[in-house]
PDB file of all heavy atoms in Angstrom:
ATOM      1  N   PRO I  74      -1.529   9.875  17.814  1.00  0.00           N
ATOM      2  CA  PRO I  74      -0.440  10.716  17.335  1.00  0.00           C
ATOM      3  C   PRO I  74      -0.749  12.204  17.396  1.00  0.00           C
ATOM      4  O   PRO I  74      -1.906  12.586  17.464  1.00  0.00           O
ATOM      5  CB  PRO I  74      -0.264  10.280  15.819  1.00  0.00           C
ATOM      6  CG  PRO I  74      -1.316   9.272  15.558  1.00  0.00           C
ATOM      7  CD  PRO I  74      -2.272   9.246  16.739  1.00  0.00           C
ATOM      8  N   ASN I  84      12.685   5.541   6.455  1.00  0.00           N
ATOM      9  CA  ASN I  84      12.799   5.708   4.960  1.00  0.00           C
ATOM     10  C   ASN I  84      12.328   7.018   4.523  1.00  0.00           C
ATOM     11  O   ASN I  84      11.618   7.121   3.565  1.00  0.00           O
ATOM     12  CB  ASN I  84      12.178   4.502   4.275  1.00  0.00           C
ATOM     13  CG  ASN I  84      10.802   4.325   4.816  1.00  0.00           C
ATOM     14  OD1 ASN I  84      10.401   5.059   5.670  1.00  0.00           O
ATOM     15  ND2 ASN I  84      10.036   3.462   4.190  1.00  0.00           N
ATOM     16  N   SER I  86       9.943   8.873   4.172  1.00  0.00           N
ATOM     17  CA  SER I  86       8.527   8.968   4.022  1.00  0.00           C
ATOM     18  C   SER I  86       8.125  10.356   3.537  1.00  0.00           C
ATOM     19  O   SER I  86       7.205  10.914   3.948  1.00  0.00           O
ATOM     20  CB  SER I  86       7.825   8.714   5.265  1.00  0.00           C
ATOM     21  OG  SER I  86       7.948   7.388   5.670  1.00  0.00           O
ATOM     22  N   PRO I  89       6.143  11.719  -2.631  1.00  0.00           N
ATOM     23  CA  PRO I  89       6.936  11.944  -3.845  1.00  0.00           C
ATOM     24  C   PRO I  89       6.238  12.922  -4.854  1.00  0.00           C
ATOM     25  O   PRO I  89       6.874  13.488  -5.784  1.00  0.00           O
ATOM     26  CB  PRO I  89       7.059  10.466  -4.522  1.00  0.00           C
ATOM     27  CG  PRO I  89       5.958   9.771  -3.941  1.00  0.00           C
ATOM     28  CD  PRO I  89       5.749  10.379  -2.499  1.00  0.00           C
ATOM     29  N   TRP I  90       4.909  13.119  -4.681  1.00  0.00           N
ATOM     30  CA  TRP I  90       4.281  14.156  -5.588  1.00  0.00           C
ATOM     31  C   TRP I  90       4.374  15.608  -5.069  1.00  0.00           C
ATOM     32  O   TRP I  90       3.826  16.409  -5.740  1.00  0.00           O
ATOM     33  CB  TRP I  90       2.791  13.657  -5.787  1.00  0.00           C
ATOM     34  CG  TRP I  90       2.089  13.390  -4.546  1.00  0.00           C
ATOM     35  CD1 TRP I  90       1.373  14.248  -3.804  1.00  0.00           C
ATOM     36  CD2 TRP I  90       1.959  12.097  -3.889  1.00  0.00           C
ATOM     37  NE1 TRP I  90       0.950  13.656  -2.692  1.00  0.00           N
ATOM     38  CE2 TRP I  90       1.229  12.340  -2.713  1.00  0.00           C
ATOM     39  CE3 TRP I  90       2.595  10.822  -4.196  1.00  0.00           C
ATOM     40  CZ2 TRP I  90       0.936  11.310  -1.866  1.00  0.00           C
ATOM     41  CZ3 TRP I  90       2.187   9.864  -3.391  1.00  0.00           C
ATOM     42  CH2 TRP I  90       1.417  10.006  -2.230  1.00  0.00           C
ATOM     43  N   LYS I 103      -0.703  22.560   8.697  1.00  0.00           N
ATOM     44  CA  LYS I 103      -1.674  21.864   9.581  1.00  0.00           C
ATOM     45  C   LYS I 103      -1.461  22.341  10.995  1.00  0.00           C
ATOM     46  O   LYS I 103      -2.469  22.574  11.708  1.00  0.00           O
ATOM     47  CB  LYS I 103      -1.382  20.326   9.423  1.00  0.00           C
ATOM     48  CG  LYS I 103      -2.410  19.481  10.041  1.00  0.00           C
ATOM     49  CD  LYS I 103      -3.800  19.583   9.397  1.00  0.00           C
ATOM     50  CE  LYS I 103      -4.810  19.028  10.369  1.00  0.00           C
ATOM     51  NZ  LYS I 103      -6.181  19.405   9.920  1.00  0.00           N
ATOM     52  N   TYR I 134      11.793  17.802  -6.398  1.00  0.00           N
ATOM     53  CA  TYR I 134      10.978  16.666  -5.941  1.00  0.00           C
ATOM     54  C   TYR I 134      11.817  15.661  -5.216  1.00  0.00           C
ATOM     55  O   TYR I 134      13.077  15.505  -5.573  1.00  0.00           O
ATOM     56  CB  TYR I 134      10.168  16.139  -7.111  1.00  0.00           C
ATOM     57  CG  TYR I 134       9.045  16.975  -7.585  1.00  0.00           C
ATOM     58  CD1 TYR I 134       9.249  17.838  -8.607  1.00  0.00           C
ATOM     59  CD2 TYR I 134       7.832  16.921  -6.918  1.00  0.00           C
ATOM     60  CE1 TYR I 134       8.186  18.657  -8.974  1.00  0.00           C
ATOM     61  CE2 TYR I 134       6.809  17.698  -7.341  1.00  0.00           C
ATOM     62  CZ  TYR I 134       6.878  18.589  -8.319  1.00  0.00           C
ATOM     63  OH  TYR I 134       5.937  19.409  -8.689  1.00  0.00           O
TER      64      TYR I 134
ATOM     65  N   ASP W 186       3.805   3.981   5.444  1.00  0.00           N
ATOM     66  CA  ASP W 186       4.565   5.199   5.714  1.00  0.00           C
ATOM     67  C   ASP W 186       3.718   6.411   5.576  1.00  0.00           C
ATOM     68  O   ASP W 186       3.734   7.371   6.421  1.00  0.00           O
ATOM     69  CB  ASP W 186       5.807   5.282   4.872  1.00  0.00           C
ATOM     70  CG  ASP W 186       6.851   4.204   5.127  1.00  0.00           C
ATOM     71  OD1 ASP W 186       6.733   3.616   6.159  1.00  0.00           O
ATOM     72  OD2 ASP W 186       7.591   3.927   4.273  1.00  0.00           O
ATOM     73  N   TYR W 187       3.054   6.539   4.457  1.00  0.00           N
ATOM     74  CA  TYR W 187       2.262   7.661   4.175  1.00  0.00           C
ATOM     75  C   TYR W 187       1.150   7.795   5.149  1.00  0.00           C
ATOM     76  O   TYR W 187       0.736   8.890   5.588  1.00  0.00           O
ATOM     77  CB  TYR W 187       1.779   7.692   2.676  1.00  0.00           C
ATOM     78  CG  TYR W 187       2.694   7.542   1.604  1.00  0.00           C
ATOM     79  CD1 TYR W 187       2.440   7.227   0.303  1.00  0.00           C
ATOM     80  CD2 TYR W 187       4.058   7.915   1.881  1.00  0.00           C
ATOM     81  CE1 TYR W 187       3.324   7.180  -0.716  1.00  0.00           C
ATOM     82  CE2 TYR W 187       5.050   7.871   0.825  1.00  0.00           C
ATOM     83  CZ  TYR W 187       4.666   7.454  -0.453  1.00  0.00           C
ATOM     84  OH  TYR W 187       5.522   7.478  -1.423  1.00  0.00           O
ATOM     85  N   ILE W 194       0.929  14.203  11.412  1.00  0.00           N
ATOM     86  CA  ILE W 194       0.598  15.627  11.257  1.00  0.00           C
ATOM     87  C   ILE W 194      -1.017  15.825  11.325  1.00  0.00           C
ATOM     88  O   ILE W 194      -1.465  16.938  11.103  1.00  0.00           O
ATOM     89  CB  ILE W 194       1.101  16.210   9.926  1.00  0.00           C
ATOM     90  CG1 ILE W 194       0.671  15.473   8.715  1.00  0.00           C
ATOM     91  CG2 ILE W 194       2.553  16.220   9.955  1.00  0.00           C
ATOM     92  CD1 ILE W 194       1.304  15.979   7.465  1.00  0.00           C
ATOM     93  N   GLN W 195      -1.731  14.716  11.695  1.00  0.00           N
ATOM     94  CA  GLN W 195      -3.162  14.746  11.970  1.00  0.00           C
ATOM     95  C   GLN W 195      -3.930  15.439  10.800  1.00  0.00           C
ATOM     96  O   GLN W 195      -4.758  16.307  10.957  1.00  0.00           O
ATOM     97  CB  GLN W 195      -3.385  15.576  13.253  1.00  0.00           C
ATOM     98  CG  GLN W 195      -2.727  14.779  14.389  1.00  0.00           C
ATOM     99  CD  GLN W 195      -3.175  15.316  15.778  1.00  0.00           C
ATOM    100  OE1 GLN W 195      -3.022  16.521  16.009  1.00  0.00           O
ATOM    101  NE2 GLN W 195      -3.678  14.357  16.585  1.00  0.00           N
ATOM    102  N   GLU W 200      -8.372  16.252   3.969  1.00  0.00           N
ATOM    103  CA  GLU W 200      -6.958  16.446   3.692  1.00  0.00           C
ATOM    104  C   GLU W 200      -6.264  15.152   3.299  1.00  0.00           C
ATOM    105  O   GLU W 200      -5.455  15.149   2.377  1.00  0.00           O
ATOM    106  CB  GLU W 200      -6.277  17.042   4.874  1.00  0.00           C
ATOM    107  CG  GLU W 200      -6.693  18.554   5.104  1.00  0.00           C
ATOM    108  CD  GLU W 200      -6.394  19.098   6.442  1.00  0.00           C
ATOM    109  OE1 GLU W 200      -6.262  18.206   7.398  1.00  0.00           O
ATOM    110  OE2 GLU W 200      -6.232  20.217   6.685  1.00  0.00           O
ATOM    111  N   ILE W 204      -4.582  15.033  -0.235  1.00  0.00           N
ATOM    112  CA  ILE W 204      -3.189  15.183  -0.199  1.00  0.00           C
ATOM    113  C   ILE W 204      -2.389  13.888  -0.328  1.00  0.00           C
ATOM    114  O   ILE W 204      -1.334  13.864  -0.942  1.00  0.00           O
ATOM    115  CB  ILE W 204      -2.703  15.904   1.128  1.00  0.00           C
ATOM    116  CG1 ILE W 204      -3.276  17.317   1.123  1.00  0.00           C
ATOM    117  CG2 ILE W 204      -1.197  15.969   1.346  1.00  0.00           C
ATOM    118  CD1 ILE W 204      -3.066  18.050   2.513  1.00  0.00           C
ATOM    119  N   PRO W 208      -3.192  11.211  -4.831  1.00  0.00           N
ATOM    120  CA  PRO W 208      -1.979  11.159  -5.508  1.00  0.00           C
ATOM    121  C   PRO W 208      -1.330   9.811  -5.428  1.00  0.00           C
ATOM    122  O   PRO W 208      -0.673   9.319  -6.339  1.00  0.00           O
ATOM    123  CB  PRO W 208      -1.131  12.203  -4.827  1.00  0.00           C
ATOM    124  CG  PRO W 208      -2.104  13.038  -3.992  1.00  0.00           C
ATOM    125  CD  PRO W 208      -3.246  12.259  -3.768  1.00  0.00           C
ATOM    126  N   ARG W 284       3.043  12.935 -12.942  1.00  0.00           N
ATOM    127  CA  ARG W 284       4.389  13.339 -13.362  1.00  0.00           C
ATOM    128  C   ARG W 284       5.385  12.176 -13.444  1.00  0.00           C
ATOM    129  O   ARG W 284       6.489  12.276 -12.931  1.00  0.00           O
ATOM    130  CB  ARG W 284       4.970  14.445 -12.320  1.00  0.00           C
ATOM    131  CG  ARG W 284       4.314  15.772 -12.404  1.00  0.00           C
ATOM    132  CD  ARG W 284       5.078  16.788 -11.645  1.00  0.00           C
ATOM    133  NE  ARG W 284       5.927  16.214 -10.678  1.00  0.00           N
ATOM    134  CZ  ARG W 284       5.528  15.941  -9.511  1.00  0.00           C
ATOM    135  NH1 ARG W 284       4.340  16.023  -8.997  1.00  0.00           N
ATOM    136  NH2 ARG W 284       6.476  15.277  -8.698  1.00  0.00           N
TER     137      ARG W 284
END
Side-chain angles (χ1 to χ4, degrees):
Chain I
N84 49 357
S86 296
W90 48 89
K103 191 62 196 168
Y134 285 93
Chain W
D186 294 340
Y187 298 166
I194 58 185
Q195 295 190 310
E200 288 162 335
I204 294 175
R284 290 196 340 276

